Amino acid sequence: MAGRILVDRPAGGTHDIFRRYNIKVDGEQVGKIRRGGQVSVEVAPGSHYVQARIDWVGSPAREANVIDGTDVHLMVRPAGNAFQALYQMTKHGYLKLESGEGPAC
């Protein structure tokens, strides 16, 4: 039996308003997510690495431990506001990938 990794993106805010984020699991792109959307991917039980990307920047990879028949909920959002974007692209993750629950967490 398998489990799922669910990645939600909140609907609010103006940062990257018209952009989609690429969601990768174990280095492979599994979907794109827009504001207020969700990506769901079925995976084998065990440890998986999830990352959100946009262009050449993104979030640090996050480990998701999936137990047989369960869901792991994550949420992706911009790491800061538009004024901080240049700093985030050079020193810190441009996106945050955090634990979450339910649609748009």
Side-chain angles (χ1 to χ4, degrees):
M1 189 169 196
R4 291 187 307 169
I5 296 174
L6 305 169
V7 181
D8 292 297
R9 180 176 171 193
T14 58
H15 201 66
D16 298 324
I17 190 169
F18 298 113
R19 306 289 309 276
R20 293 182 183 182
Y21 298 156
N22 296 312
I23 304 300
K24 293 184 171 190
V25 174
D26 298 330
E28 293 191 32
Q29 184 169 327
V30 296
K32 293 186 176 197
I33 189 170
R34 64 177 54 154
R35 289 179 354 132
Q38 181 182 75
V39 169
S40 173
V41 60
E42 195 168 301
V43 294
S47 181
H48 299 276
Y49 289 91
V50 183
Q51 186 177 32
R53 304 280 305 163
I54 182 171
D55 298 327
W56 65 92
V57 294
S59 70
R62 180 180 179 99
E63 187 174 10
N65 290 308
V66 178
I67 298 170
D68 197 20
T70 64
D71 296 341
V72 173
H73 293 268
L74 299 172
M75 180 177 57
V76 61
R77 69 173 81 217
N81 61 43
F83 298 109
Q84 298 168 322
L86 182 59
Y87 176 71
Q88 292 164 335
M89 286 188 278
T90 59
K91 296 290 182 187
H92 298 285
Y94 183 78
L95 300 174
K96 284 185 182 179
L97 188 60
E98 307 168 315
S99 293
E101 278 297 323
C105 302

